[in-house]
Amino acid sequence: MLRRAAMSTACLLAGALVAAPSFADPVPVPADKAAYVGDWRGQDMRIHLKPDGHVEYARKQPGKNLNLNVDLQGFNGDNFDVGFSLVRSTFVVSKPPHREGGKWKMTVDGVELTKVE
């Protein structure tokens, strides 16, 4: 009997986790990070960060291609977190958005990106 109750509880919990659409809505980009908004492209990488916090990410690497639509979860200094449900990842920004030669640039996860204007 105890075993059946434990199995039922585990099934309910697993079902709740699978059925949950998300534990957090996207966080809109704060005013002090507005320079991050836009379509950024670099060598085999693209990040499109929208003002409402939706993020489109594409990256080509040997043996794998990623194409993700994820939600902004927030900023931590220059870095920003994205994810959905329980899955979360941090984009490490070593050079935040800045003007260089008349173009907007930033470096994310070691890749120099240029804003498409």
Side-chain angles (χ1 to χ4, degrees):
M1 184 66 134
L2 183 58
R3 189 176 199 176
R4 180 178 281 174
M7 289 290 285
S8 295
T9 302
C11 286
L12 284 172
L13 181 59
L17 287 174
V18 170
S22 178
F23 289 105
D25 290 327
V27 174
V29 176
D32 65 326
K33 300 293 186 185
Y36 285 74
V37 172
D39 190 6
W40 297 86
R41 297 177 189 223
Q43 181 68 38
D44 297 325
M45 184 173 173
R46 176 181 176 253
I47 299 174
H48 187 178
L49 180 54
K50 299 177 182 179
D52 65 1
H54 285 94
V55 180
E56 296 171 6
Y57 172 67
R59 187 153 190 191
K60 293 179 184 177
Q61 293 179 310
K64 65 180 173 180
N65 291 328
L66 290 174
N67 286 297
L68 302 172
N69 288 309
V70 292
D71 295 334
L72 179 66
Q73 300 297 311
F75 281 85
N76 183 7
D78 292 332
N79 302 333
F80 56 98
D81 297 325
V82 299
F84 56 92
S85 192
L86 296 174
V87 179
R88 202 173 174 129
S89 185
T90 298
F91 284 100
V92 177
V93 180
S94 54
K95 289 185 182 178
H98 62 281
R99 290 291 243 176
E100 188 177 302
K103 295 184 178 189
W104 282 99
K105 303 225 177 226
M106 77 169 159
T107 303
V108 179
D109 292 343
V111 178
E112 182 180 74
L113 303 173
T114 303
K115 188 185 258 186
V116 176
E117 297 189 66

